[in-house]
Amino acid sequence: VAASHVLIQYKGSMRSAPTITRSKEEAKKLAGEVLAKAKKGQDFAALAKQYSDEPGAKDRAGALGKFGKGQMVKPFADAAFALKPGEISNVVETDFGFHVIKRTE
């Protein structure tokens, strides 16, 4: 499948930058706000550019390209593969933080 995502990290999440200071609870709340905006039809790429903590998200607008099930951590892969193209996941928690995933193909 191919997907885009918004990653909201928190202090202590895997590979989070030292500049990330929000708590896990704050990160989950922000991910929920991003999800609500995406579900209301706001441009997903713009949301990724604005909110995602993933390195390179600004350049790729959250696009991850194509991947197989074994290439992503299990909670992320399970959510992405359960979506139909164009669908948006609920908030998905991994060791990297909280994700909002949009399947693109």
Side-chain angles (χ1 to χ4, degrees), residues 2 4 6 14 29 39 45 55 85 93 96 104:
S4 296
V6 177
M14 193 179 290
K29 182 176 185 245
K39 295 260 186 186
E93 183 178 356
F96 296 97
T104 51

Side-chain angles (χ1 to χ4, degrees), residues 17-33:
T19 53
I20 303 290
T21 58
R22 72 177 71 90
S23 70
K24 187 173 183 178
E25 294 74 27
E26 290 168 330
K28 187 173 187 176
K29 182 176 185 245
L30 181 56
E33 292 169 12

Side-chain angles (χ1 to χ4, degrees), residues 14-102:
M14 193 179 290
R15 295 193 195 148
S16 64
T19 53
I20 303 290
T21 58
R22 72 177 71 90
S23 70
K24 187 173 183 178
E25 294 74 27
E26 290 168 330
K28 187 173 187 176
K29 182 176 185 245
L30 181 56
E33 292 169 12
V34 171
L35 174 62
K37 290 178 181 199
K39 295 260 186 186
K40 284 183 183 160
Q42 285 195 25
D43 182 67
F44 199 85
L47 291 171
K49 286 180 180 181
Q50 182 177 353
Y51 293 103
S52 189
D53 294 321
E54 178 201 4
K58 309 262 184 285
D59 300 328
R60 294 190 321 275
L64 297 169
K66 289 187 175 187
F67 53 88
K69 246 188 178 166
Q71 291 178 269
M72 299 290 177
V73 292
K74 185 171 178 9
F76 187 97
D78 287 350
F81 277 82
L83 297 170
K84 292 181 177 73
E87 285 185 336
I88 297 168
S89 72
N90 288 319
V91 174
V92 177
E93 183 178 356
T94 71
D95 292 339
F96 296 97
F98 296 95
H99 308 259
V100 177
I101 306 163
K102 180 176 183 178

